[in-house]
Amino acid sequence: MNRKEYKFLNNLIKKYNKSKDKKFYSLVGEPFTNEDIIAGIETLLSGRITMSSITKRFEENFAKFVGSKHALMVNSGSSANLLAFFSSINPKNYKRLHKNDECLIPAICWSTSLWPIVQAGLKPKFVDVSLDDFNFDLKKLERKITKKTKAIMAVHVLGNSTRMSNLMKIVKKYNLTLIEDTCESLGSIYKDKYLGTFGRFGTYSFYVSHQLIAGEGGMLVCNDKRDYEIAHTLRAHGWDRGLRKKQNTEFNFINSGFNLRPLDLTASIGLNQLKRLNKSIKIRRNNRDKILKSVMSSHKWKDQLTFLKPNKNLKPSWFGIPILLNKKYVKQKKKYLKKLNQNGIETRPIISGNFLNQPSIKLYKLNSKREKFPIAQEIENRGFFIGLHTKDIEKKEIIKLTNNLLSID
Ligand SMILES: Cc1ncc(COP(=O)(O)O)c(C=O)c1O
């Protein structure tokens, strides 16, 4: 692209930016830089549509970034979870999960952390979480293990994780398959190792508001070549295309399959964002520190809020600030959040709260014994999160945000 063309596109982007409805403190801030948008436009103009060399390059760079042998891009984080479970039950798999095997999952999870377990014919078994890190309570997790337990779906909540060394001891002791839903925690490092690379499969999402935003898209990572090849085949129709060295034009369907193919458009935006991911993580971390410092040193500070702390050995990659309201304000939570939102501060629940409360759980009779998950419930009652932007936060924004966050008596 020459300078004139580049200038023309920049002006066009400016024009559209002006007409956007901007909130004071949105969940995401500006998701795309001009370079992201131009990278996407160039890909479209080049006529590359799906899984060309740009997607391959994104996969390779992503695998390098997190330190995994293989990475496979798909059209969403949900699809990455689906692929992880369907690869795990596949007849070609050397260490296969079987129908009705139990899979442990935290009560604080996302819908599509859970449903691929059910869709793959496995039995989900819920475990309560810890108030310290919002992830599995590992003591409760170990108590739930039976002879039928064969897998664990860990869900790293909003950049945080459980004590991974302890979780890995349990995984090894009981010879379990670990899948890590890392859709909310790309870039978090536990003792030198990226979250998502501890288990057999790790999954990531590039949906809006996550650490890396491509609009849509997801990634599956694994270290075993056989796992990678199964997932690769299932991603697109059960076809062996792209697995052989020679360009093959045969219609050779060697397995069952889906169509979970990503677009080159999202791959090119993702690739561009990956280049500055470490910088974005650092800015978000600094912004969080500044906000927390301002709130907790304000004259209005009366311990109204508790901010989620990262686990001991974790270097977190946040995309939001998870918060618990002090117990005495719980009854006012709805009104408080409404006021924040009216003042332009977008909020969201901690993933989706206690997932056992969702109507779909009843529909599929997944908690017929009506087991209680008190900590997940407490997080649902008291918790919410606000965003963290990838631009340095300004002083006046911090002051306004502080005053709003502390506007509860
Ligand atoms: C923990 C978790 N898992 C999975 C997903 C699904 O990702 P996607 O929206 O890319 O399908 C999300 C989405 O927000 C999530 O938070």
Side-chain angles (χ1 to χ4, degrees):
M1 189 173 296
N2 65 35
R3 271 186 66 192
K4 211 169 147 194
E5 288 161 344
Y6 187 79
K7 206 170 158 195
F8 168 77
L9 280 177
N10 261 309
N11 285 335
L12 200 62
I13 294 166
K14 244 189 231 162
K15 182 181 145 193
Y16 278 89
N17 269 344
K18 263 190 204 151
S19 60
K20 276 185 201 154
D21 180 22
K22 285 191 186 125
K23 290 194 164 65
F24 155 59
Y25 194 80
S26 64
L27 208 60
V28 186
E30 283 298 328
F32 302 125
T33 61
N34 289 11
E35 281 68 32
D36 292 338
I37 296 168
I38 291 171
I41 292 172
E42 279 193 308
T43 300
L44 278 181
L45 291 174
S46 74
R48 289 171 294 183
I49 306 290
T50 170
M51 294 203 312
S52 74
S53 57
I54 195 107
T55 299
K56 193 86 199 140
R57 189 137 46 93
F58 181 36
E59 291 173 339
E60 284 165 4
N61 289 9
F62 191 92
K64 235 181 252 165
F65 183 91
V66 298
S68 179
K69 282 209 179 109
H70 307 283
L72 193 74
M73 192 182 177
V74 283
N75 55 6
S76 71
S78 305
S79 298
N81 284 343
L82 194 72
L83 213 45
F85 278 98
F86 274 84
S87 299
S88 301
I89 59 158
N90 197 268
K92 270 198 167 213
N93 203 305
Y94 68 99
K95 188 193 164 196
R96 197 181 157 190
L97 297 175
H98 293 90
K99 196 170 178 350
N100 291 329
D101 282 350
E102 281 175 5
C103 177
L104 301 174
I105 178 165
I108 297 272
C109 65
W110 185 249
S111 150
T112 49
S113 321
L114 166 69
W115 294 109
I117 301 173
V118 179
Q119 286 151 348
L122 309 176
K123 290 249 181 296
K125 203 170 178 184
F126 290 93
V127 180
D128 206 0
V129 295
S130 145
L131 203 56
D132 295 333
D133 55 35
F134 297 1
N135 282 266
F136 276 131
D137 177 322
L138 293 178
K139 281 200 182 114
K140 290 182 185 167
L141 175 101
E142 194 163 4
R143 269 188 247 131
K144 288 232 164 163
I145 295 175
T146 66
K147 275 190 184 146
K148 290 184 190 161
T149 310
K150 302 289 179 212
I152 293 180
M153 174 58 151
V155 183
H156 304 305
V157 180
L158 293 163
N160 210 357
S161 76
T162 186
R163 282 160 289 136
M164 291 307 290
S165 317
N166 297 30
L167 177 64
M168 292 318 289
K169 275 185 200 151
I170 296 173
V171 167
K172 287 201 180 100
K173 183 171 165 190
Y174 298 95
N175 192 22
L176 303 173
T177 292
L178 173 66
I179 294 170
E180 296 174 72
D181 182 336
T182 321
C183 287
E184 301 190 347
S185 300
L186 168 60
S188 292
I189 302 169
Y190 188 90
K191 286 189 185 170
D192 299 334
K193 207 170 152 73
Y194 277 89
L195 294 185
T197 62
F198 286 80
R200 190 156 177 196
F201 291 106
T203 65
Y204 301 86
S205 166
F206 309 134
Y207 182 63
V208 183
S209 95
H210 291 224
Q211 283 87 354
L212 186 150
I213 300 172
E216 290 282 2
M219 197 71 85
L220 179 78
V221 300
C222 61
N223 279 323
D224 192 296
K225 193 165 176 244
R226 291 165 294 182
D227 282 341
Y228 169 73
E229 290 190 350
I230 292 170
H232 191 291
T233 318
L234 299 191
R235 171 176 67 172
H237 308 164
W239 206 341
D240 67 354
R241 189 155 85 166
L243 275 180
R244 298 191 201 165
K245 278 214 171 104
K246 262 201 249 159
Q247 178 70 23
N248 90 58
T249 49
E250 283 166 36
F251 285 73
N252 204 22
F253 297 95
I254 59 171
N255 212 318
S256 60
F258 304 98
N259 177 0
L260 310 174
R261 284 189 308 240
L263 291 172
D264 282 332
L265 169 69
T266 45
S268 58
I269 296 173
L271 188 62
N272 209 51
Q273 292 218 354
L274 191 63
K275 286 185 210 153
R276 61 169 196 281
L277 185 57
N278 278 331
K279 196 175 160 204
S280 305
I281 291 171
K282 214 167 153 190
I283 295 173
R284 281 177 152 144
R285 206 176 279 147
N286 285 341
N287 285 346
R288 178 181 181 274
D289 290 348
K290 284 182 193 164
I291 295 166
L292 264 59
K293 195 172 161 204
S294 165
V295 170
M296 291 196 283
S297 63
S298 163
H299 67 278
K300 292 182 187 162
W301 175 246
K302 290 184 281 179
D303 280 327
Q304 293 97 320
L305 314 167
T306 301
F307 297 100
L308 178 68
K309 288 197 191 86
N311 221 321
K312 197 173 145 214
N313 293 303
L314 186 85
K315 202 167 173 206
S317 162
W318 307 108
F319 67 69
I321 306 184
I323 300 172
L324 289 177
L325 260 183
N326 185 315
K327 275 185 188 164
K328 77 177 194 204
Y329 301 111
V330 167
K331 281 199 181 129
Q332 296 176 55
K333 185 182 161 202
K334 218 171 158 187
K335 209 168 125 197
Y336 170 70
L337 294 191
K338 194 173 166 198
K339 202 161 121 201
L340 289 185
N341 282 286
Q342 276 168 350
N343 290 343
I345 300 165
E346 274 192 292
T347 65
R348 291 287 185 276
I350 305 297
I351 312 199
S352 37
N354 176 4
F355 203 83
L356 281 299
N357 293 335
Q358 297 292 341
S360 51
I361 292 290
K362 246 192 192 161
L363 184 68
Y364 281 83
K365 300 184 178 60
L366 292 187
N367 191 20
S368 45
K369 290 190 182 145
R370 300 194 175 201
E371 190 182 344
K372 296 264 186 275
F373 298 86
I375 304 299
Q377 192 55 48
E378 184 169 348
I379 293 170
E380 173 169 322
N381 296 345
R382 295 173 54 198
F384 69 99
F385 81 91
I386 58 168
L388 264 179
H389 303 168
T390 53
K391 266 193 195 152
D392 288 321
I393 187 162
E394 289 177 19
K395 208 165 178 186
K396 61 176 195 281
E397 274 184 291
I398 300 178
I399 294 168
K400 192 169 166 187
L401 193 55
T402 302
N403 287 334
N404 272 283
L405 286 172
L406 293 178
S407 64
I408 190 160
D409 277 308

